[in-house]
Amino acid sequence: MSNKWTPLGIAALFVVLLAIFAYTNLEIYPRTEYKSPSSQVQSNDFFALETWLAKTGRRVSMVSEGDASRIIRASEKTVFVQASAFNWNGAEEPLKNWMAAGGFLVVSLEPPLDEDEELDAFLAGFGVSAVFSGDSGSIAEGEDAAGIDEALPLSGPPPDLDALPDFDGLVQFTITEETGDPVFTIKEAGTIIRLIQIPVGAGALTLIGRPWFMENDFLSGEANARLAWDLTGARAQEDNPGLLFIRGGRKVKSLFGKLADRGNFLPLGVSTLALIIVGFWMLIPPFGLVFQEQISPGRPIRECFLAETRFLKRYGALETYLETYIREIRRKLRGRKPALELEFIEKSLRERKHLSYRDSIRYLRILETMMERL
C-alpha cells in the first residue's frame, strides 16, 4: 500500500471505532427547555381557553368590569363573570329575566366572600350561599370520590368520578332554600359542593369558586377541558353565538413599574448618574499601568433556579418554596393578622407529611397572589 493511503486508512479506522463506541455507549434523549410565557399569557389566565374557543369558531369578547345592563345589552347569551369585577347592585331581577329567556351565566367567586353584601343578596335570591372553606379540596381517604346529583345536563357523558376537575378548594356552596327546579351539583368528599347549577327558564346560573379547571396551567387535563367546554363552547351554538368574559386582568409590570413600587425615583436617579460617571471613568483610565482582572464566567441565575426547581420536584420537596413564601409574607405583614388562606396553607403543611404536586402548585399560586397584593 502506498504511504499516501496510510493516514487515510488510519483516519477511517478511527472514525469507525468512534462510531462503534458512540452506538454502544452513548444514548440520545430529549431535553425539555423551559421558556417563560409571553406577557400576553402571563396577564391572562384564560389565554389557552380563549384561543381554543376562537379556533372552534366561538367569538370571545372580554371586558374588565360590568353590571346587569352590560349583560342584557350584549349579543352573547353565554357570559362568564368574575364576581369581584361586577356590580351586583339590583342585578337579581334583570338577570333572572335574561336567563329565563335563554341566557347562561357562569359566576366565579373568590375569597374573601364577606365583603360584598349585594353579591350575598343575589345568591340568596337563588337559594344559595357561599362560604370560605378550610378544606384544601383533596378527597379524604375512604370517602366517595365525588357526588353528582344527576347526569350532567350539558354535553357529553357525566365526568369520570375518579378524575374530577380541579376546583378551588377555598370556596364551597350551600343550598339554603329549595326553589323547586332540579339543581345540579358536583361535590368533593361526598358533601362539599364545588359547583352548583340552577336552571332558570330556558337558561341557567352556574356558580363556582376560582375556575382552576379553565386556567392555562390546568386546561390540559381531560376532566378540566370537558367541564370548561361544557360551560362555554358547548353553549355557544348557532342560535347562541359568542361568549362574553367579564373579568379583571393580571397586570404584567414593566421594569420601571416594578421600580416605582419600591419607592420614589430619587435613589434610581442617583444610581443612574453614578453609573454614567463610573462608565465614563472606565473609558478614560487614569495615569499608570492598567491591569485587567480575569473574571471567570458563572452560571446564570436562571439556570441555577431551574436546576433547583427540577431537583425539588424530582424528590417531592416543593414545600420548601411554600415555607419560603410564608416566611416572607409573615415578615411583610409585621404582626398584622394573616389572611385565612395563609393560615390554611400553614395548617396543611403541618398536618400533611407530603403535598401532591398539584396541591403544591396551587398553594404556590395563592401565595404568589398574596405577595403581589402586599
Side-chain angles (χ1 to χ4, degrees):
M1 180 182 292
S2 176
N3 290 335
K4 69 178 182 179
W5 293 106
T6 301
L8 182 61
I10 294 174
L13 179 61
F14 177 77
V15 171
V16 171
L17 293 176
L18 182 63
I20 295 174
F21 172 80
Y23 181 79
T24 56
N25 294 274
L26 302 182
E27 178 184 359
I28 299 176
Y29 62 92
R31 185 180 70 175
T32 302
E33 181 179 355
Y34 177 80
K35 292 185 178 180
S36 299
S38 65
S39 58
Q40 185 180 14
V41 175
Q42 293 182 30
S43 62
N44 182 5
D45 290 329
F46 302 95
F47 180 83
L49 175 62
E50 292 175 1
T51 303
W52 179 25
L53 292 172
K55 287 185 177 180
T56 59
R58 273 70 174 175
R59 185 186 71 255
V60 178
S61 302
M62 195 278 287
V63 294
S64 58
E65 58 184 18
D67 54 17
S69 62
R70 177 66 180 84
I71 293 178
I72 294 173
R73 294 195 313 268
S75 60
E76 297 87 356
K77 296 300 180 182
T78 302
V79 179
F80 173 89
V81 171
Q82 182 180 347
S84 59
F86 196 81
N87 181 7
W88 296 99
N89 185 21
E92 178 183 349
E93 196 62 32
L95 291 183
K96 274 187 176 180
N97 296 333
W98 176 79
M99 286 183 281
F104 292 92
L105 181 64
V106 180
V107 180
S108 166
L109 294 87
E110 300 179 15
L113 303 174
D114 55 355
E115 298 181 356
D116 195 337
E117 296 180 356
E118 296 169 351
L119 174 59
D120 293 338
F122 175 82
L123 298 177
F126 290 89
V128 176
S129 66
V131 297
F132 173 82
S133 170
D135 187 353
S136 65
S138 60
I139 300 171
E141 184 178 357
E143 295 181 336
D144 294 336
I148 296 186
D149 291 345
E150 55 187 70
L152 187 64
L154 304 172
S155 67
D160 184 356
L161 298 184
D162 295 326
L164 283 181
D166 289 283
F167 289 108
D168 183 0
L170 302 179
V171 178
Q172 71 179 51
F173 299 95
T174 303
I175 300 175
T176 58
E177 181 181 352
E178 297 291 341
T179 60
D181 295 324
V183 175
F184 166 76
T185 61
I186 295 181
K187 302 175 183 177
E188 286 185 347
T191 58
I192 302 174
I193 301 177
R194 299 301 188 196
L195 178 147
I196 182 168
Q197 180 168 281
I198 304 169
V200 182
L205 169 66
T206 304
L207 302 173
I208 53 177
R210 179 172 176 175
W212 298 105
F213 60 90
M214 289 186 179
E215 296 185 1
N216 300 330
D217 295 336
F218 297 91
L219 190 61
S220 58
E222 181 180 353
N224 294 335
R226 180 189 296 180
L227 182 57
W229 176 258
D230 286 336
L231 295 178
T232 56
R235 291 170 167 175
Q237 304 299 333
E238 295 181 358
D239 56 341
N240 184 16
L243 299 101
L244 174 63
F245 281 72
I246 302 177
R247 58 170 181 80
R250 184 170 53 184
K251 296 182 179 179
V252 179
K253 297 179 181 178
S254 64
L255 172 63
F256 289 101
K258 294 178 180 178
L259 291 174
D261 289 344
R262 301 290 181 178
N264 58 44
F265 279 93
L266 180 59
L268 176 62
V270 173
S271 301
T272 303
L273 180 61
L275 181 62
I276 293 174
I277 295 174
V278 172
F280 278 108
W281 181 40
M282 294 177 63
L283 292 175
I284 307 175
F287 292 101
L289 297 176
V290 179
F291 298 95
Q292 184 176 3
E293 182 180 359
Q294 297 293 332
I295 301 177
S296 59
R299 295 184 63 186
I301 187 66
R302 180 174 176 271
E303 292 184 11
C304 296
F305 180 78
L306 289 177
E308 181 182 1
T309 302
R310 285 193 292 263
F311 178 81
L312 293 176
K313 178 182 176 183
R314 179 182 301 174
Y315 292 98
L318 283 175
E319 295 89 346
T320 304
Y321 280 131
L322 295 177
E323 295 170 357
T324 303
Y325 267 105
I326 290 172
R327 278 199 307 271
E328 183 64 15
I329 292 173
R330 286 283 188 181
R331 185 185 67 80
K332 289 191 174 185
L333 287 174
R334 297 177 181 175
R336 291 178 293 170
K337 183 178 180 181
L340 294 176
E341 297 96 319
L342 183 62
E343 294 181 346
F344 162 67
I345 294 174
E346 289 181 317
K347 181 180 178 183
S348 297
L349 288 175
R350 290 194 304 266
E351 295 179 353
R352 298 167 64 180
K353 296 181 179 179
H354 175 68
L355 295 177
S356 65
Y357 176 69
R358 188 183 71 179
D359 285 342
S360 297
I361 294 300
R362 180 181 300 176
Y363 292 162
L364 280 172
R365 295 190 60 168
I366 294 174
L367 293 174
E368 179 184 359
T369 302
M370 294 175 67
M371 284 284 291
E372 292 176 353
R373 294 175 180 175
L374 290 177

